[in-house]
Amino acid sequence: MNPPLRRVAMALLLMFGALFANATWLQVVNAGDLRTKQGNTRVLLNQYEHQRGPIVAGNVIVARSVATKDRLKYLRVYPQGEEYAPITGYYSVTLGFSGIERQENSILSGSDDRLFVRRLSDLVTGRTPRGGTVKLTVNPKAQDAAWDGLQGKVGAVVALDPRTGAVLAMASNPSYDPNTLSSHNARAVTTASTRLNTDRRKPRLNRAIEETYPPGSTFKVVTAAAALESGKYTPDTVIPAPTQLSLPQTNRKLKNFGGEVCSGSGKMPLKDALRISCNTAFAALGLRLGADALQATAERFGFGRAPLELDRAAASVFPSNLNPPQTAQSAIGQFDVRVTPMQMALVAAGVANNGVVMKPYLVKELQGPDLAPLSLTEPKVLSRAMDAPAASALTSMMVNVVNNGTGTAARISGVTVAGKTGTAQHAAGAAPHAWFIAFAPAQNPVVAVAVLIEDGGNLNREATGGRVAAPIARAVIEAVLGR
């Protein structure tokens, strides 16, 4: 064979080799990723041949499949519609899937390896294949209270069991009806999806975990934790609380909300500074503690990572490389501090759980089509934010906020509630965001909650966390406690 023919033969051999290698990669190595890739219509069509398993919260079915008479044998329906949409997501032959539908697809579809024996049995007996069941941690009464509290407002609510990290409620408003996206009418689904994507209210945005906001004064809980954990402060330590705080390296002065005077003497105990939410006191405290201590404490509470593995969950941020003026502002939850409502629920839960932050989770149990248990979620420690004595001291300070301070709207007769209000400035001329975080019962907590209302529910100057967000938190706590 002459040299030109040899070169052509070698080139063809290499091309065929590359073709076979690519086919092997696609069919063997990458097969799993392709099979589960969102929008893989061929796989979705096959999965519509049998009944997809339900998603259940308590005794409430929040997603199920019903038989149809069209080409796709089953239709996915969501009885609660908008209320659970941020949790369930949607299952659509046109759009793919999201939320728990995506996260637990292998169980719901019946394709999970743990269901192999069941699939084999179905094949032998001729029994119609079915998917497994996903049982959520959500408390339906708490979810109802969160959803009802958000009506007419833009915001989110997260409630956790501080002892385990189980998500008891996660609501976001405005929301969307996933039934419009699960339809078998591709044109109707596309129209509905386009309408949702162009809606300025962003109804498909899960504000509980996907959006970050300035936390305002709720961040003072983190600053107080840093102070108590340092060993240099107790709740009774007297700290500076001037009417105005001159920010270092600038000509600017930091003031209290509404220009209020915290103390005629310019000083007050740390516990009282938290009780009345004194900006100047906590800004000065932040300067004394330093940016590194604030950042380290924030990260121990979970900042810097997305704590819940669900779709587009965002990480909360405490900024790095702060100068003194930025440190002072960050200590009161302003400047570039950004948090999700989930993160602030974790802050409350960490204090409630003796300083230990548990990893949040939404799935309580996975079951086979015959309801036989496949797995039960075991609680996991995310981090230790502070030691137990410091957490106990901070709990007493937060109880004082509810009993005698800015959080009185969260009081519950016969129940000791610990909480903290927040009123976060975010745009010139806009009403501040209203926040409230809390846990109860304070000495034996079973629920921790965070409430965010964007733009204070449009109440302008009346838009404070204590006025707008605290009543919603109270309702959620009452629902969990069965009151």
Side-chain angles (χ1 to χ4, degrees):
M1 184 182 293
N2 60 41
L5 287 177
R6 280 199 300 270
R7 285 194 291 270
V8 171
M10 286 299 297
L12 290 172
L13 184 62
L14 288 173
M15 291 171 67
F16 276 111
L19 181 63
F20 286 129
N22 183 62
T24 301
W25 175 265
L26 290 175
Q27 295 181 39
V28 179
V29 179
N30 208 32
D33 290 340
L34 290 173
R35 185 171 60 252
T36 59
K37 184 177 181 181
Q38 183 160 327
N40 188 334
T41 307
R42 181 177 178 180
V43 172
L44 285 171
L45 285 170
N46 290 335
Q47 290 178 352
Y48 274 89
E49 290 294 311
H50 61 266
Q51 190 172 18
R52 188 172 175 83
I55 302 174
V56 181
N59 59 358
V60 178
I61 297 176
V62 298
R64 61 191 177 93
S65 292
V66 297
T68 72
K69 295 181 179 180
D70 60 31
R71 182 169 63 101
L72 301 177
K73 292 184 179 180
Y74 290 94
L75 173 69
R76 199 63 166 168
V77 297
Y78 303 89
Q80 283 71 35
E82 296 181 354
E83 181 177 347
Y84 280 83
I87 298 173
T88 62
Y90 54 81
Y91 183 75
S92 169
V93 70
T94 305
L95 302 175
F97 36 47
S98 67
I100 291 296
E101 293 278 26
R102 177 187 178 91
Q103 180 176 302
E104 302 299 338
N105 179 59
S106 65
I107 291 293
L108 294 167
S109 67
S111 63
D112 192 275
D113 289 343
R114 287 168 288 186
L115 297 175
F116 174 76
V117 174
R118 170 75 186 202
R119 292 198 300 273
L120 187 61
S121 174
D122 291 341
L123 182 64
V124 172
T125 63
R127 183 172 51 197
T128 302
R130 291 188 295 122
T133 297
V134 173
K135 298 188 71 175
L136 301 175
T137 58
V138 174
N139 178 321
K141 291 183 178 179
Q143 182 73 9
D144 287 347
W147 177 246
D148 291 345
L150 289 173
Q151 296 313 293
K153 306 174 182 68
V154 176
V157 178
V158 175
L160 305 171
D161 184 334
R163 303 164 298 181
T164 64
V167 178
L168 303 178
M170 185 169 73
S172 176
N173 195 56
S175 185
Y176 67 97
D177 183 358
N179 292 293
T180 64
L181 303 181
S182 66
S183 167
H184 293 173
N185 185 324
R187 180 175 296 179
V189 171
T190 301
T191 299
S193 178
T194 301
R195 184 174 64 251
L196 290 172
N197 291 340
T198 56
D199 191 329
R200 293 182 180 179
R201 302 178 307 153
K202 299 180 180 179
R204 286 176 69 173
L205 176 68
N206 183 353
R207 289 168 167 80
I209 62 172
E210 294 177 14
E211 185 66 284
T212 59
Y213 304 86
S217 292
T218 57
F219 190 81
K220 290 171 184 173
V221 172
V222 178
T223 303
L228 295 169
E229 185 73 3
S230 73
K232 299 177 182 179
Y233 296 85
T234 72
D236 295 314
T237 301
V238 176
I239 60 175
T243 301
Q244 296 183 353
L245 178 68
S246 297
L247 295 176
Q249 304 175 0
T250 74
N251 295 323
R252 295 183 57 193
K253 295 183 182 295
L254 187 146
K255 300 179 181 180
N256 294 304
F257 183 76
E260 297 173 349
V261 176
C262 293
S263 169
S265 67
K267 298 179 180 180
M268 65 193 320
L270 176 59
K271 61 183 180 184
D272 288 334
L274 189 71
R275 175 177 61 83
I276 66 171
S277 200
C278 181
N279 284 346
T280 57
F282 272 89
L285 179 62
L287 286 172
R288 290 192 175 189
L289 293 169
D292 291 345
L294 294 176
Q295 183 170 30
T297 303
E299 289 176 353
R300 289 197 298 270
F301 273 108
F303 281 64
R305 49 188 160 178
L308 190 67
E309 298 168 0
L310 189 70
D311 287 346
R312 300 177 297 275
S316 297
V317 178
F318 186 88
S320 302
N321 303 316
L322 299 177
N323 61 31
Q326 294 166 344
T327 300
Q329 292 176 319
S330 297
I332 61 172
Q334 296 290 168
F335 186 55
D336 286 341
V337 182
R338 304 283 298 186
V339 300
T340 62
M342 172 62 75
Q343 176 59 66
M344 294 316 296
L346 284 175
V347 169
V351 178
N353 196 38
N354 297 312
V356 177
V357 182
M358 303 300 290
K359 182 177 177 60
Y361 62 97
L362 265 168
V363 176
K364 177 182 180 181
E365 185 179 3
L366 301 177
Q367 299 176 335
D370 56 358
L371 301 184
L374 297 176
S375 68
L376 187 68
T377 302
E378 293 291 334
K380 296 179 181 179
V381 173
L382 186 66
S383 59
R384 173 170 279 282
M386 56 196 307
D387 62 34
S392 177
L394 186 48
T395 294
S396 68
M397 292 168 61
M398 293 175 69
V399 168
N400 199 27
V401 170
V402 174
N403 287 347
N404 307 296
T406 57
T408 56
R411 290 177 183 168
I412 300 173
S413 177
V415 179
T416 304
V417 179
K420 181 68 190 79
T421 55
T423 305
Q425 305 292 336
H426 65 97
H433 295 325
W435 282 93
F436 191 73
I437 63 173
F439 57 88
Q443 301 310 319
N444 187 27
V446 298
V447 56
V449 61
V451 178
L452 161 81
I453 304 299
E454 290 188 15
D455 300 319
N458 297 314
L459 292 182
N460 297 319
R461 291 185 177 274
E462 301 298 322
T464 63
R467 177 183 173 89
V468 179
I472 300 174
R474 180 187 65 218
V476 173
I477 292 171
E478 289 176 330
V480 174
L481 298 180
R483 298 173 66 87

